[in-house]
Amino acid sequence: MHPVLDDVTRRLTERSAPTRATYLARVRAAAVRGPARGRLACANLAHGFAAAEGSEKTELARGQKPNVAIITSYNDMLSAHQPYGDYPPVLKSAVIRAGGLAQVAGGVPAMCDGVTQGRDGMQLSLYSRDLIAMSTAIALSHDMFDGALLLGVCDKIVPGLLIGALSFGHLPAVWVPAGPMESGLPNKEKAAVRQLFAEGKVGREELLEAEAASYHSRGTCTFYGTANSNQLLMEVLGLHLPGSSFVNPGTPLRDALTRAAAARAVTRTAQYDAAPALGEMVDEKAIVNACVALLASGGSTNHTLHLVAIARAAGILLTWDDLAELSAVVPSLARIYPNGAADVNHFHAAGGIGYLIRTLLDTGLMHEDVETIAGPGLRRYTEEPVLIDGELSWRPGPVESLDLDVLRPATDPFAPDGGVKVVKGPLGTGVVKTSAVAPEHRFVSAPAKVFDDQHDFLLAFADGDLDGHDFVAVIRYQGPAANGMPELHKLTPALGVLQDRGQKVAIVTDGRMSGASGKVPAAIHVTPEAALGGPLSRVQDGDLITLDSDAGTLTIDADLAHRAPTGHAPSGEQWAGTGRELFAAFRATVGPADEGASIFPAPTATDLEVRLVHS
């Protein structure tokens, strides 16, 4: 075991001991053996199976077989989630064959950041994660279920499902992926057309043609953004079946894996297995493994929020300092767009998640001794699924990368450190995705250009006000409490144009960038945020800001202590429209970015919970 990995895990375990113990005591107290519905009164139970038919109703009433909840994020606007429309009957059939029962317990919202990018709806995106967590909890709250199958792929959906399911950590849970769309127009070519459009060199028709050729069918978008980072992390956490994350929709292997996931959910219920349930599985070692995988693969910066929030839902107090320490020793092993030219299909063909896990385990950079839905030990996830005469089985995965331009061994990495850096200084603490930024662009020292809204920046670009000089764009009042921390990916093409012209440019913001963002150095998630009086609220045009991504520093050559804040977050009637007015309670209660930007309180061991534990 690498000494830094060992040290980070030890300190994380020690720091989390009181809150983790309280969480586990609550989980264990809820784990009563036998079907949960057996504890329902007759009227309650009759409501639970009223719509069932035939033998299903009989078995639900009898109360002997395990009943598995299906929680779906299906809608047919979102390409990644469109395949889920066909899943419930397939899952139910497979669950019955495995000796269980299944009901669709509920649905959760699934919004597309690609559709809402740059629109007011994006201000609801991050909040939707916690809303999904609450929706998941509502679905599981009926005491009808002994396990769960959770259907989700995209940005906030998977973290929300996991946070919600961890409130029911006494149940086994299996995530069912849908897979990425087949490769279309290469992401790098699509990005080039976006820049040409930003410069006015191509029109909307050409841009739409390029976008439609890239996002062209059902399945997940093929770049390595938050959605595909979700899939990789769920597999590393042992909550997907091995090798199942990046199998394309509509293939025989995808169908076989879906049915196998349903069967696995049954066999992990208390009626069949004494294996640890979800709350026991997602422990400190599993969380550290997820952090390592994120860093080694150059995954989405959104997971510097989501992993912290997920860990806290399990009573584990993960910090950005933990991520920074790991990033210093975890090598960069993958080049998937925006970190390279390949897409996730190329990554999967090169050896994919299985090879990534293998090389990290072999070099002591992951914990092998974790529990997974496939059984004890992460080494199981170096295997790959195959169909032999129509039957699903697993065989050893590649022991070497099949494409060294896409995936490297830990002994011969693309870079010696991870793809995400934490930066600190008088402007606060933020995150930079260095894996997508060329080394020559990682240091920028230039005067500030201050904007309180991304649209003001785009107007300045269109008017030529940003041409011909170096600058650091400070996009403030974009934090969780200000307006929901929207992604600012619409700024990337404009900044890319200026960077290609030879200007030194960077972004500093308390908002987010898309998991697809790259190329331009961006210190994001800066906390404390401007809306809560953070230093960004006192920055002025012309202040010299220095972002040194490699050194991990974010400094300003100005005395902010005696300045009054300028600018402000939206308020009052500015919130009207697109449903934003309904989320005032979220804006008022959301926590800071480095604590997961969540509306849920930090885990504590209250007196009441301590008494419950002792009793």
Side-chain angles (χ1 to χ4, degrees):
M1 187 62 59
H2 193 287
V4 171
L5 186 82
D6 193 45
D7 191 47
V8 169
T9 307
R10 177 185 55 78
R11 284 187 284 107
L12 176 61
T13 303
E14 292 172 355
R15 182 192 317 134
S16 306
T19 51
R20 178 66 175 165
T22 301
Y23 170 79
L24 288 176
R26 209 180 314 143
V27 165
R28 290 164 184 166
V32 178
R33 198 163 193 84
R37 63 189 183 279
R39 301 189 297 276
L40 294 177
C42 292
N44 303 83
L45 181 58
H47 278 83
F49 61 66
E53 296 179 353
S55 61
E56 181 185 7
K57 178 174 285 189
T58 302
E59 294 292 351
L60 283 168
R62 189 173 293 164
Q64 295 177 348
K65 291 185 176 181
N67 190 26
V68 177
I70 299 171
I71 300 175
T72 179
S73 55
Y74 164 73
N75 68 56
D76 61 7
M77 176 198 68
L78 187 54
S79 66
H81 290 223
Q82 189 270 355
Y84 285 140
D86 300 329
Y87 274 40
V90 172
L91 294 171
K92 285 187 175 186
S93 173
V95 165
I96 290 169
R97 284 175 63 89
L101 304 164
Q103 292 176 295
V104 176
V108 303
M111 68 182 297
C112 179
D113 288 2
V115 175
T116 58
Q117 198 67 242
R119 311 289 299 177
D120 289 345
M122 175 54 76
Q123 295 174 14
L124 306 183
S125 173
L126 183 59
Y127 293 154
S128 76
R129 181 195 67 194
D130 291 358
L131 183 63
I132 290 162
M134 291 188 284
S135 300
T136 302
I138 289 170
L140 292 172
S141 69
H142 296 86
D143 291 332
M144 285 287 294
F145 305 110
D146 306 288
L149 287 162
L150 298 110
L151 280 55
V153 174
C154 283
D155 297 19
K156 315 308 172 298
I157 296 92
V158 168
L161 288 169
L162 182 48
I163 291 167
L166 282 165
S167 289
F168 293 78
H170 60 288
L171 298 178
V174 174
W175 268 255
V176 187
M181 64 179 67
E182 295 179 354
S183 302
L185 180 74
N187 289 290
K188 195 169 185 179
E189 292 183 29
K190 172 198 66 186
V193 177
R194 285 180 177 176
Q195 281 200 195
L196 291 172
F197 180 77
E199 293 180 275
K201 293 181 177 179
V202 300
R204 179 181 170 85
E205 185 176 340
E206 291 88 349
L207 177 61
L208 183 58
E209 183 180 353
E211 299 282 4
S214 184
Y215 310 124
H216 62 94
S217 69
R218 63 182 189 155
T220 319
C221 306
T222 60
F223 60 83
Y224 193 45
T226 312
N228 285 316
S229 296
N230 284 341
Q231 302 309 292
L232 182 142
L233 294 182
M234 295 305 285
E235 192 160 325
V236 169
L237 285 168
L239 299 175
H240 281 176
L241 288 175
S244 65
S245 297
F246 296 139
V247 176
N248 302 121
T251 60
L253 182 57
R254 174 82 278 155
D255 181 68
L257 286 164
T258 299
R259 294 175 187 275
R264 190 59 55 94
V266 175
T267 58
R268 288 192 66 83
T269 60
Q271 293 92 312
Y272 282 85
D273 195 351
L278 178 65
E280 306 268 1
M281 290 175 61
V282 182
D283 63 6
E284 294 88 347
K285 290 181 178 179
I287 290 293
V288 169
N289 281 350
C291 294
V292 169
L294 179 76
L295 295 165
S297 62
S300 170
T301 50
N302 280 320
H303 275 289
T304 62
L305 307 174
H306 299 328
L307 281 175
V308 172
I310 289 165
R312 286 177 171 243
I316 299 168
L317 303 179
L318 181 70
T319 70
W320 283 0
D321 287 337
D322 296 328
L323 282 163
E325 289 189 50
L326 291 170
S327 185
V329 299
V330 173
S332 180
L333 303 181
R335 284 286 181 263
I336 322 168
Y337 187 86
N339 310 324
D343 67 19
V344 293
N345 292 313
H346 303 140
F347 169 74
H348 185 63
I353 298 171
Y355 179 76
L356 183 76
I357 290 173
R358 180 188 297 278
T359 189
L360 290 167
L361 284 173
D362 289 348
T363 49
L365 287 167
M366 272 188 171
H367 296 285
E368 204 278 334
D369 55 335
V370 294
E371 182 66 32
T372 78
I373 64 167
L378 192 60
R379 185 70 63 173
R380 297 170 185 270
Y381 281 71
T382 64
E383 297 181 345
E384 61 182 13
V386 291
L387 287 176
I388 300 176
D389 296 327
E391 295 295 321
L392 179 64
S393 63
W394 276 262
R395 67 186 181 192
V399 296
E400 296 181 353
S401 170
L402 302 179
D403 188 341
L404 291 173
D405 291 331
V406 176
L407 183 60
R408 292 271 184 93
T411 53
D412 182 26
F414 291 105
D417 52 8
V420 175
K421 286 289 185 72
V422 176
V423 294
K424 296 184 178 183
L427 289 175
T429 302
V431 173
V432 179
K433 184 173 182 175
T434 53
S435 59
V437 180
E440 63 270 22
H441 295 308
R442 294 179 186 172
F443 179 91
V444 177
S445 185
K449 289 276 192 181
V450 181
F451 302 91
D452 292 350
D453 188 285
Q454 61 176 315
H455 301 294
D456 294 335
F457 172 90
L458 292 172
L459 284 173
F461 172 77
D463 291 342
D465 297 341
L466 305 179
D467 294 348
H469 50 269
D470 300 342
F471 65 90
V472 173
V474 178
I475 318 293
R476 61 189 186 176
Y477 297 104
Q478 306 297 310
N483 63 351
M485 209 178 187
E487 291 184 351
L488 306 173
H489 186 54
K490 283 286 187 183
L491 308 185
T492 300
L495 284 160
V497 168
L498 300 175
Q499 186 183 80
D500 288 350
R501 291 175 181 170
Q503 294 173 229
K504 286 280 190 179
V505 293
I507 302 174
V508 174
T509 181
D510 46 10
R512 297 182 294 128
M513 297 295 285
S514 165
S517 299
K519 186 173 181 176
V520 175
I524 60 177
H525 308 175
V526 174
T527 186
E529 63 174 288
L532 299 180
L536 291 184
S537 67
R538 296 186 288 278
V539 177
Q540 297 176 358
D541 282 346
D543 288 341
L544 183 67
I545 293 178
T546 301
L547 170 61
D548 189 335
S549 303
D550 289 327
T553 57
L554 176 63
T555 61
I556 184 169
D557 189 12
D559 182 8
L560 303 180
H562 304 292
R563 284 187 189 171
T566 59
H568 61 85
S571 60
E573 285 302 308
Q574 292 174 290
W575 286 120
T578 323
R580 293 175 297 159
E581 64 274 15
L582 301 177
F583 286 79
F586 282 57
R587 291 190 290 272
T589 56
V590 69
D594 58 346
E595 294 180 10
S598 176
I599 65 167
F600 305 130
T604 57
T606 66
D607 291 340
L608 174 61
E609 287 167 337
V610 169
R611 289 198 298 272
L612 286 172
V613 169
H614 288 307
S615 66

